[in-house]
Amino acid sequence: MIGTRIRELRSERGLTVAQLATAAGVASGLISQVERDLADPSLEALRKIAKALDLPLFSLFQEPDPALVAVIRADSRVRVKSPSDGITYARVSPGRGRLEVLEGHLLPGGSSAAESWSHPSEECVLVLRGRLVVEVSGFDHELEEGDSCYFDSSLPHRYLNPGEEPTDFIIAATPPSY
């Protein structure tokens, strides 16, 4: 699914595989393999491809049906996993509109990204289980179960799990740009 979507978006923009790869800072072979569903790109590679296409990350998984009411079943959520950083995201909103809601799961010692990054949104995170450090512009904000943190996502940020247990959290971002 994601390979087909990337190919469609690349073609709509009149880009070759090599041009998209250069803009994203990834190998042409990776783009080619992803488009043919021969490889699963990392979360970091997906972020770079989305940025090169000037789109939010989860728009790469966007559903074409613009229904006014959407029910997203737990077993059919779009999921993105980064094994190297210990983070998994599942989209609980339909992937269109002005609001994006994600469920995050972060392993002990894990982080949402190797380095802080930014995107044009506002974001609110709510900790469901465990502990979470929200690093924004170099400042750490420690959250416990039930705590939330709101911030301007254009500031460099990332999430860290300093605990010895997994952390579960919900992120709401508007407009969608994750």
Side-chain angles (χ1 to χ4, degrees):
M1 177 179 95
I2 190 162
T4 301
R5 179 81 172 132
I6 290 172
R7 184 181 320 111
E8 288 170 355
L9 292 165
R10 178 182 58 76
S11 296
E12 285 173 9
R13 287 161 175 73
L15 297 171
T16 65
V17 168
Q19 289 170 325
L20 177 57
T22 299
V26 299
S28 295
L30 175 65
I31 300 288
S32 177
Q33 289 180 344
V34 168
E35 286 188 357
R36 293 181 291 139
D37 294 321
L38 299 176
D40 290 324
S42 69
L43 180 59
E44 193 61 33
L46 286 173
R47 282 183 178 147
K48 289 177 180 181
I49 292 167
K51 186 174 183 179
L53 293 169
D54 194 30
L55 293 168
L57 170 66
F58 273 87
S59 70
L60 297 178
F61 303 93
Q62 189 167 357
E63 301 158 13
D65 180 27
L68 295 176
V69 175
V71 174
I72 295 83
R73 304 285 178 208
D75 62 348
S76 63
R77 291 180 182 159
V78 173
R79 299 180 193 286
V80 176
K81 184 176 184 176
S82 176
S84 61
D85 295 321
I87 186 90
T88 303
Y89 291 110
R91 188 174 62 205
V92 298
S93 58
R96 60 182 180 282
R98 297 178 301 244
L99 176 68
E100 181 166 57
V101 181
L102 305 172
E103 179 182 57
H105 181 78
L106 189 55
L107 295 176
S111 64
S112 61
E115 296 181 20
S116 295
W117 69 292
S118 62
H119 50 98
S121 277
E122 296 174 52
E123 203 162 311
C124 185
V125 59
L126 169 66
V127 178
L128 302 174
R129 178 177 69 125
R131 295 175 42 218
L132 187 70
V133 172
V134 181
E135 181 184 287
V136 182
S137 295
F139 293 95
D140 290 350
H141 307 277
E142 296 187 26
L143 306 179
E144 303 275 337
E145 188 173 308
D147 293 342
S148 62
C149 180
Y150 168 87
F151 58 94
D152 181 336
S153 304
S154 66
L155 300 170
H157 63 281
R158 68 182 181 150
Y159 301 116
L160 305 126
N161 179 352
E164 296 180 14
E165 299 293 326
T167 299
D168 293 319
F169 54 97
I170 297 289
I171 299 171
T174 185
S177 65
Y178 207 82

